[in-house]
Amino acid sequence: NYNEIAPIIERLDNIQKKLDSKQTNKYLSIIQVADLTSLSTSTIRRSVARGHLKCSRRLGKLLFLESDVRKWIDG
């Protein structure tokens, strides 16, 4: 009966949405961003310096949220 499984389907959908958001919100190194975008690390660093691409500086490294990189690519 659909009425019995509807709450289960809704919970599974919510779980899937959370998993999807975690996948796109993982941190990437500048090398991973270069691979993802097919751009040079110099181009990526220029975009950071100009304020076009957000990043986090941790332990002397630039880290990029994948969701920010995808927004930047889609422009």
Coordinates of all heavy atoms in Angstrom, one line a residue:
N1 N 0.8 -1.2 0.0 CA 0.0 0.0 0.0 C 0.9 1.3 0.0 O 1.8 1.4 0.8 CB -0.9 0.0 1.2 CG -2.0 1.0 1.2 OD1 -1.9 2.0 0.4 ND2 -2.9 0.9 2.1
Y2 N 0.6 2.2 -0.9 CA 1.4 3.4 -1.1 C 1.4 4.2 0.2 O 2.5 4.8 0.6 CB 1.0 4.2 -2.3 CG 1.8 5.4 -2.5 CD1 3.1 5.3 -3.0 CD2 1.4 6.7 -2.1 CE1 3.9 6.4 -3.2 CE2 2.1 7.8 -2.2 CZ 3.4 7.7 -2.8 OH 4.2 8.8 -2.9
N3 N 0.3 4.3 0.9 CA 0.2 5.1 2.1 C 1.2 4.6 3.2 O 1.7 5.4 4.0 CB -1.2 5.2 2.6 CG -2.1 6.0 1.7 OD1 -1.7 6.8 1.0 ND2 -3.4 5.6 1.8
E4 N 1.5 3.4 3.2 CA 2.4 2.8 4.1 C 3.9 3.1 3.8 O 4.7 3.3 4.7 CB 2.2 1.3 4.3 CG 0.8 0.9 4.9 CD 0.6 -0.6 4.8 OE1 1.5 -1.3 4.3 OE2 -0.5 -1.0 5.2
I5 N 4.2 3.1 2.5 CA 5.6 3.4 2.2 C 5.9 4.8 1.8 O 7.1 5.2 1.7 CB 6.0 2.5 1.0 CG1 5.2 2.8 -0.3 CG2 5.9 1.0 1.4 CD1 5.7 2.1 -1.5
A6 N 4.9 5.7 1.7 CA 5.2 7.1 1.4 C 6.1 7.8 2.4 O 7.0 8.5 1.9 CB 3.8 7.9 1.3
P7 N 5.9 7.6 3.7 CA 6.9 8.2 4.6 C 8.3 7.7 4.5 O 9.3 8.4 4.6 CB 6.4 7.8 6.0 CG 5.0 7.4 5.8 CD 4.9 6.9 4.4
I8 N 8.4 6.4 4.1 CA 9.8 5.8 3.9 C 10.4 6.4 2.7 O 11.6 6.8 2.7 CB 9.7 4.3 3.8 CG1 9.2 3.7 5.1 CG2 11.0 3.7 3.4 CD1 8.8 2.2 5.0
I9 N 9.7 6.6 1.6 CA 10.2 7.2 0.4 C 10.6 8.6 0.6 O 11.7 9.1 0.2 CB 9.1 7.1 -0.8 CG1 8.9 5.7 -1.2 CG2 9.5 8.0 -1.9 CD1 7.7 5.5 -2.1
E10 N 9.8 9.4 1.4 CA 10.1 10.8 1.8 C 11.4 10.8 2.5 O 12.3 11.7 2.3 CB 9.0 11.4 2.6 CG 9.2 12.8 2.8 CD 8.0 13.5 3.6 OE1 6.9 12.9 3.5 OE2 8.2 14.5 4.2
R11 N 11.6 9.9 3.5 CA 12.9 9.9 4.3 C 14.1 9.6 3.4 O 15.1 10.1 3.5 CB 12.7 8.9 5.5 CG 11.8 9.5 6.5 CD 11.8 8.7 7.8 NE 13.1 9.0 8.5 CZ 13.4 8.4 9.6 NH1 12.7 7.4 10.1 NH2 14.6 8.7 10.1
L12 N 13.9 8.6 2.5 CA 15.0 8.2 1.6 C 15.4 9.4 0.7 O 16.5 9.7 0.4 CB 14.6 7.0 0.7 CG 14.6 5.7 1.5 CD1 14.0 4.6 0.6 CD2 16.0 5.3 1.9
D13 N 14.4 10.2 0.2 CA 14.6 11.4 -0.6 C 15.4 12.4 0.2 O 16.4 13.0 -0.3 CB 13.3 12.0 -1.1 CG 12.7 11.2 -2.2 OD1 13.4 10.3 -2.8 OD2 11.5 11.4 -2.5
N14 N 15.1 12.6 1.5 CA 15.8 13.5 2.3 C 17.2 13.1 2.5 O 18.2 13.9 2.5 CB 15.1 13.7 3.7 CG 13.8 14.5 3.6 OD1 13.6 15.2 2.6 ND2 12.9 14.3 4.5
I15 N 17.4 11.8 2.7 CA 18.8 11.2 2.9 C 19.6 11.5 1.6 O 20.8 11.9 1.7 CB 18.7 9.8 3.3 CG1 18.2 9.6 4.7 CG2 20.1 9.1 3.2 CD1 17.8 8.2 5.1
Q16 N 19.0 11.2 0.5 CA 19.7 11.4 -0.8 C 20.1 12.8 -1.0 O 21.2 13.1 -1.5 CB 18.8 10.9 -2.0 CG 19.5 10.9 -3.3 CD 20.7 10.0 -3.4 OE1 20.5 8.8 -3.1 NE2 21.8 10.5 -3.8
K17 N 19.2 13.8 -0.7 CA 19.5 15.2 -0.8 C 20.7 15.6 0.1 O 21.6 16.3 -0.3 CB 18.3 16.1 -0.4 CG 17.3 16.1 -1.5 CD 16.1 16.9 -1.0 CE 14.9 16.6 -1.9 NZ 13.6 17.2 -1.4
K18 N 20.8 15.0 1.3 CA 21.9 15.3 2.2 C 23.2 14.7 1.6 O 24.2 15.4 1.7 CB 21.6 14.8 3.6 CG 20.6 15.6 4.3 CD 20.4 15.1 5.7 CE 19.4 16.0 6.4 NZ 19.2 15.6 7.8
L19 N 23.1 13.5 1.1 CA 24.3 12.9 0.5 C 24.8 13.7 -0.7 O 26.0 13.9 -0.9 CB 24.1 11.5 0.1 CG 23.9 10.5 1.3 CD1 23.4 9.1 0.7 CD2 25.2 10.3 2.0
D20 N 23.9 14.1 -1.5 CA 24.3 14.9 -2.7 C 24.9 16.2 -2.3 O 25.9 16.6 -2.9 CB 23.0 15.2 -3.6 CG 22.5 13.9 -4.3 OD1 23.3 12.9 -4.3 OD2 21.4 14.0 -4.8
S21 N 24.4 16.9 -1.3 CA 25.0 18.2 -0.9 C 26.4 18.0 -0.3 O 27.2 18.8 -0.5 CB 24.1 18.9 0.1 OG 24.0 18.3 1.3
K22 N 26.6 16.9 0.4 CA 27.9 16.6 1.0 C 28.9 16.4 -0.2 O 30.1 16.8 -0.1 CB 27.9 15.5 1.9 CG 27.3 15.8 3.3 CD 27.4 14.6 4.2 CE 26.6 14.8 5.4 NZ 27.3 15.6 6.5
Q23 N 28.5 15.7 -1.2 CA 29.4 15.4 -2.3 C 29.9 16.7 -3.0 O 31.0 16.8 -3.4 CB 28.8 14.5 -3.3 CG 28.7 13.1 -2.8 CD 28.1 12.1 -3.9 OE1 27.3 12.6 -4.7 NE2 28.4 10.9 -3.8
T24 N 29.0 17.7 -3.1 CA 29.4 18.9 -3.8 C 30.0 19.9 -2.9 O 30.4 20.9 -3.3 CB 28.2 19.5 -4.6 OG1 27.1 19.8 -3.6 CG2 27.7 18.6 -5.7
N25 N 30.0 19.6 -1.6 CA 30.6 20.5 -0.7 C 31.9 20.0 -0.1 O 32.3 20.5 1.0 CB 29.6 20.9 0.5 CG 28.7 22.0 0.0 OD1 29.0 22.8 -0.8 ND2 27.5 22.1 0.6
K26 N 32.5 19.1 -0.7 CA 33.8 18.7 -0.2 C 34.9 19.7 -0.7 O 34.7 20.5 -1.6 CB 34.1 17.3 -0.7 CG 34.3 17.2 -2.2 CD 34.6 15.7 -2.6 CE 34.7 15.6 -4.1 NZ 34.8 14.3 -4.6
Y27 N 36.0 19.7 0.1 CA 37.1 20.6 -0.3 C 38.0 20.0 -1.3 O 38.3 18.8 -1.3 CB 37.9 21.0 1.0 CG 37.2 22.0 1.8 CD1 36.4 21.7 2.9 CD2 37.4 23.4 1.5 CE1 35.8 22.7 3.7 CE2 36.8 24.4 2.3 CZ 36.0 24.0 3.4 OH 35.4 25.0 4.1
L28 N 38.4 20.9 -2.2 CA 39.3 20.5 -3.3 C 40.6 21.2 -3.2 O 40.6 22.4 -2.8 CB 38.7 20.7 -4.7 CG 37.4 20.1 -4.9 CD1 36.8 20.6 -6.3 CD2 37.4 18.6 -4.9
S29 N 41.7 20.6 -3.5 CA 43.0 21.3 -3.6 C 43.1 22.1 -4.9 O 42.2 21.9 -5.8 CB 44.2 20.3 -3.6 OG 44.2 19.6 -4.8
I30 N 44.0 22.9 -5.1 CA 44.2 23.7 -6.3 C 44.4 22.8 -7.5 O 44.0 23.0 -8.6 CB 45.2 24.8 -6.2 CG1 45.1 25.8 -7.3 CG2 46.6 24.2 -6.1 CD1 45.8 27.1 -7.1
I31 N 45.1 21.7 -7.3 CA 45.4 20.7 -8.3 C 44.1 20.0 -8.8 O 43.8 19.9 -10.0 CB 46.4 19.6 -7.9 CG1 47.7 20.3 -7.5 CG2 46.6 18.6 -8.9 CD1 48.5 21.0 -8.6
Q32 N 43.2 19.7 -7.8 CA 42.0 19.1 -8.1 C 41.1 20.1 -8.9 O 40.4 19.7 -9.8 CB 41.3 18.6 -6.9 CG 41.9 17.4 -6.2 CD 41.4 17.1 -4.9 OE1 41.2 18.0 -4.0 NE2 41.1 15.8 -4.6
V33 N 41.1 21.4 -8.5 CA 40.3 22.4 -9.2 C 40.9 22.5 -10.6 O 40.1 22.6 -11.6 CB 40.4 23.7 -8.5 CG1 39.7 24.8 -9.3 CG2 39.7 23.6 -7.1
A34 N 42.2 22.5 -10.8 CA 42.8 22.6 -12.1 C 42.3 21.4 -13.0 O 42.0 21.6 -14.2 CB 44.3 22.6 -12.0
D35 N 42.3 20.2 -12.4 CA 41.8 19.0 -13.2 C 40.4 19.1 -13.5 O 40.0 18.8 -14.6 CB 42.1 17.7 -12.3 CG 43.5 17.4 -12.2 OD1 44.3 17.9 -13.0 OD2 43.9 16.6 -11.3
L36 N 39.6 19.6 -12.6 CA 38.1 19.7 -12.8 C 37.8 20.7 -13.9 O 36.9 20.5 -14.7 CB 37.4 20.1 -11.5 CG 35.9 20.2 -11.5 CD1 35.2 18.9 -11.8 CD2 35.4 20.8 -10.1
T37 N 38.5 21.8 -13.9 CA 38.2 22.9 -14.8 C 39.0 23.0 -16.0 O 38.7 23.7 -16.9 CB 38.4 24.3 -14.1 OG1 39.8 24.4 -13.7 CG2 37.5 24.4 -12.8
S38 N 40.1 22.2 -16.1 CA 41.0 22.2 -17.2 C 41.7 23.5 -17.4 O 42.1 24.0 -18.5 CB 40.3 21.8 -18.5 OG 39.8 20.5 -18.5
L39 N 41.9 24.2 -16.2 CA 42.6 25.5 -16.2 C 43.9 25.3 -15.5 O 44.1 24.4 -14.7 CB 41.7 26.6 -15.5 CG 40.4 26.9 -16.1 CD1 39.6 27.8 -15.2 CD2 40.6 27.6 -17.5
S40 N 44.8 26.2 -15.7 CA 46.1 26.2 -15.0 C 45.9 26.7 -13.6 O 45.0 27.4 -13.3 CB 47.1 27.0 -15.7 OG 46.8 28.4 -15.6
T41 N 46.9 26.3 -12.7 CA 46.9 26.7 -11.4 C 47.1 28.2 -11.3 O 46.5 28.9 -10.4 CB 47.9 26.0 -10.5 OG1 49.2 26.2 -11.1 CG2 47.6 24.5 -10.4
S42 N 47.8 28.8 -12.3 CA 48.0 30.2 -12.3 C 46.7 31.0 -12.6 O 46.5 32.0 -12.0 CB 49.0 30.6 -13.4 OG 50.3 30.0 -13.2
T43 N 45.9 30.5 -13.5 CA 44.6 31.1 -13.8 C 43.7 31.0 -12.6 O 43.1 32.0 -12.2 CB 44.0 30.4 -15.0 OG1 44.8 30.5 -16.1 CG2 42.6 30.9 -15.3
I44 N 43.8 29.9 -11.9 CA 43.0 29.8 -10.6 C 43.4 30.7 -9.6 O 42.6 31.4 -9.0 CB 43.0 28.3 -10.1 CG1 42.3 27.4 -11.2 CG2 42.3 28.2 -8.8 CD1 42.6 25.9 -11.0
R45 N 44.7 30.9 -9.4 CA 45.3 31.8 -8.4 C 44.9 33.3 -8.8 O 44.6 34.1 -7.9 CB 46.8 31.7 -8.3 CG 47.2 30.4 -7.6 CD 48.8 30.3 -7.5 NE 49.2 29.0 -7.2 CZ 49.3 28.5 -5.9 NH1 48.8 29.3 -4.9 NH2 49.7 27.3 -5.7
R46 N 44.9 33.6 -10.0 CA 44.5 35.0 -10.5 C 43.1 35.2 -10.1 O 42.7 36.3 -9.7 CB 44.8 35.2 -12.0 CG 46.2 35.6 -12.3 CD 46.3 36.1 -13.8 NE 45.8 35.1 -14.8 CZ 46.6 34.1 -15.3 NH1 47.8 34.0 -14.9 NH2 46.1 33.3 -16.2
S47 N 42.2 34.2 -10.4 CA 40.8 34.4 -10.0 C 40.6 34.6 -8.5 O 39.7 35.3 -8.1 CB 40.0 33.2 -10.5 OG 40.0 33.1 -11.9
V48 N 41.4 33.9 -7.7 CA 41.3 34.0 -6.3 C 41.7 35.5 -5.9 O 41.0 36.2 -5.1 CB 42.1 33.0 -5.5 CG1 42.3 33.3 -4.1 CG2 41.5 31.6 -5.7
A49 N 42.8 35.9 -6.5 CA 43.4 37.2 -6.2 C 42.4 38.3 -6.6 O 42.3 39.4 -5.9 CB 44.7 37.4 -6.9
R50 N 41.7 38.1 -7.7 CA 40.7 39.1 -8.1 C 39.4 39.0 -7.4 O 38.5 39.9 -7.6 CB 40.5 38.9 -9.6 CG 41.7 39.3 -10.5 CD 41.4 39.0 -11.9 NE 42.6 39.4 -12.7 CZ 42.9 38.8 -13.9 NH1 42.1 37.9 -14.4 NH2 44.0 39.2 -14.5
G51 N 39.2 38.0 -6.6 CA 38.0 37.9 -5.8 C 36.9 37.2 -6.6 O 35.7 37.2 -6.1
H52 N 37.2 36.6 -7.7 CA 36.2 35.9 -8.5 C 35.9 34.5 -8.0 O 34.8 33.9 -8.2 CB 36.6 35.8 -9.9 CG 36.8 37.1 -10.6 ND1 37.6 37.3 -11.7 CD2 36.3 38.4 -10.3 CE1 37.6 38.6 -12.0 NE2 36.8 39.3 -11.2
L53 N 36.9 33.9 -7.3 CA 36.7 32.5 -6.8 C 37.0 32.5 -5.3 O 38.1 32.9 -5.0 CB 37.6 31.5 -7.6 CG 37.6 30.1 -7.2 CD1 36.2 29.4 -7.3 CD2 38.6 29.3 -8.0
K54 N 36.1 32.0 -4.5 CA 36.3 31.9 -3.1 C 37.2 30.7 -2.7 O 37.1 29.7 -3.4 CB 35.0 31.8 -2.3 CG 34.1 33.0 -2.4 CD 33.0 32.9 -1.4 CE 31.9 32.0 -1.9 NZ 30.7 32.0 -1.0
C55 N 38.0 30.9 -1.7 CA 38.8 29.8 -1.2 C 39.1 30.0 0.2 O 38.9 31.0 0.8 CB 40.1 29.6 -2.0 SG 41.4 30.9 -1.6
S56 N 39.6 28.9 0.8 CA 40.0 28.9 2.3 C 41.4 28.6 2.3 O 41.9 27.8 1.6 CB 39.1 27.9 3.0 OG 39.6 27.8 4.3
R57 N 42.1 29.4 3.1 CA 43.6 29.1 3.3 C 43.8 28.4 4.6 O 43.6 28.9 5.7 CB 44.3 30.4 3.3 CG 44.4 31.1 1.9 CD 45.1 32.4 2.0 NE 45.3 32.9 0.6 CZ 44.4 33.6 -0.1 NH1 43.2 33.9 0.4 NH2 44.7 34.0 -1.3
R58 N 44.2 27.1 4.5 CA 44.4 26.3 5.7 C 45.8 25.6 5.5 O 46.1 25.1 4.5 CB 43.4 25.1 5.8 CG 41.9 25.6 5.8 CD 41.5 25.9 7.2 NE 40.1 26.3 7.1 CZ 39.5 27.0 8.0 NH1 40.1 27.3 9.0 NH2 38.2 27.3 7.8
L59 N 46.5 25.7 6.6 CA 47.8 25.1 6.7 C 48.7 25.4 5.5 O 49.4 24.6 4.9 CB 47.7 23.6 6.8 CG 46.9 23.0 8.0 CD1 46.6 21.6 7.8 CD2 47.6 23.3 9.3
G60 N 48.6 26.7 5.0 CA 49.4 27.2 3.9 C 48.9 26.7 2.6 O 49.6 26.9 1.6
K61 N 47.7 26.1 2.5 CA 47.2 25.6 1.2 C 45.9 26.3 0.9 O 45.2 26.7 1.8 CB 46.9 24.1 1.3 CG 48.2 23.3 1.4 CD 47.8 21.8 1.4 CE 49.1 21.0 1.5 NZ 48.8 19.5 1.3
L62 N 45.6 26.4 -0.4 CA 44.3 26.9 -0.8 C 43.4 25.8 -0.9 O 43.7 24.8 -1.6 CB 44.5 27.6 -2.2 CG 45.4 28.8 -2.3 CD1 45.4 29.4 -3.7 CD2 45.0 29.9 -1.3
L63 N 42.2 25.9 -0.3 CA 41.2 24.9 -0.4 C 39.9 25.5 -0.9 O 39.5 26.6 -0.6 CB 40.9 24.2 1.0 CG 42.1 23.5 1.6 CD1 41.7 23.0 3.0 CD2 42.5 22.3 0.7
F64 N 39.3 24.8 -1.8 CA 38.1 25.3 -2.5 C 36.9 24.3 -2.3 O 37.1 23.1 -2.5 CB 38.4 25.3 -4.0 CG 39.6 26.2 -4.4 CD1 40.8 25.6 -4.4 CD2 39.4 27.5 -4.8 CE1 42.0 26.4 -4.7 CE2 40.5 28.3 -5.1 CZ 41.8 27.7 -5.1
L65 N 35.8 24.9 -1.9 CA 34.6 24.1 -1.9 C 34.1 23.8 -3.3 O 34.1 24.6 -4.2 CB 33.4 24.9 -1.2 CG 33.4 24.8 0.3 CD1 32.3 25.7 0.9 CD2 33.2 23.4 0.8
E66 N 33.8 22.5 -3.5 CA 33.5 22.1 -4.9 C 32.3 22.9 -5.4 O 32.2 23.2 -6.6 CB 33.2 20.6 -4.9 CG 32.9 20.1 -6.3 CD 32.7 18.6 -6.4 OE1 33.1 17.9 -5.4 OE2 32.2 18.1 -7.4
S67 N 31.3 23.2 -4.5 CA 30.1 23.9 -4.9 C 30.5 25.3 -5.4 O 29.9 25.8 -6.3 CB 29.1 24.0 -3.8 OG 29.7 24.6 -2.6
D68 N 31.5 26.0 -4.7 CA 31.9 27.3 -5.1 C 32.6 27.2 -6.5 O 32.4 28.1 -7.4 CB 32.9 27.9 -4.1 CG 32.3 28.3 -2.8 OD1 31.0 28.4 -2.8 OD2 33.0 28.4 -1.8
V69 N 33.4 26.2 -6.7 CA 34.1 26.0 -8.0 C 33.0 25.8 -9.1 O 33.1 26.4 -10.2 CB 35.1 24.8 -8.0 CG1 35.6 24.5 -9.4 CG2 36.2 25.1 -7.0
R70 N 32.0 25.0 -8.9 CA 31.0 24.8 -9.9 C 30.2 26.1 -10.2 O 29.9 26.3 -11.4 CB 30.1 23.6 -9.5 CG 30.8 22.3 -9.5 CD 29.9 21.1 -9.4 NE 30.7 19.9 -9.3 CZ 31.2 19.2 -10.4 NH1 31.0 19.7 -11.6 NH2 31.9 18.1 -10.2
K71 N 29.9 26.9 -9.2 CA 29.2 28.1 -9.4 C 30.1 29.1 -10.2 O 29.7 29.8 -11.1 CB 28.9 28.8 -8.1 CG 27.8 28.2 -7.3 CD 27.6 29.0 -6.0 CE 26.8 28.1 -5.1 NZ 26.7 28.7 -3.7
W72 N 31.4 29.1 -9.9 CA 32.4 29.9 -10.7 C 32.5 29.5 -12.1 O 32.5 30.3 -13.0 CB 33.7 29.8 -10.0 CG 34.9 30.5 -10.6 CD1 35.0 31.9 -10.8 CD2 36.0 30.0 -11.2 NE1 36.2 32.2 -11.5 CE2 36.9 31.0 -11.7 CE3 36.5 28.6 -11.2 CZ2 38.1 30.8 -12.2 CZ3 37.8 28.4 -11.8 CH2 38.5 29.5 -12.3
I73 N 32.5 28.2 -12.4 CA 32.5 27.6 -13.7 C 31.3 28.1 -14.5 O 31.4 28.5 -15.7 CB 32.7 26.1 -13.7 CG1 34.0 25.7 -13.2 CG2 32.5 25.5 -15.1 CD1 34.1 24.2 -12.9
D74 N 30.1 27.9 -13.9 CA 28.9 28.2 -14.5 C 28.7 29.7 -14.7 O 27.9 30.1 -15.6 CB 27.7 27.7 -13.7 CG 27.7 26.2 -13.7 OD1 28.3 25.6 -14.6 OD2 27.1 25.6 -12.8
G75 N 29.5 30.5 -14.0 CA 29.6 32.0 -14.1 C 28.4 32.7 -14.1 O 28.1 33.8 -14.5

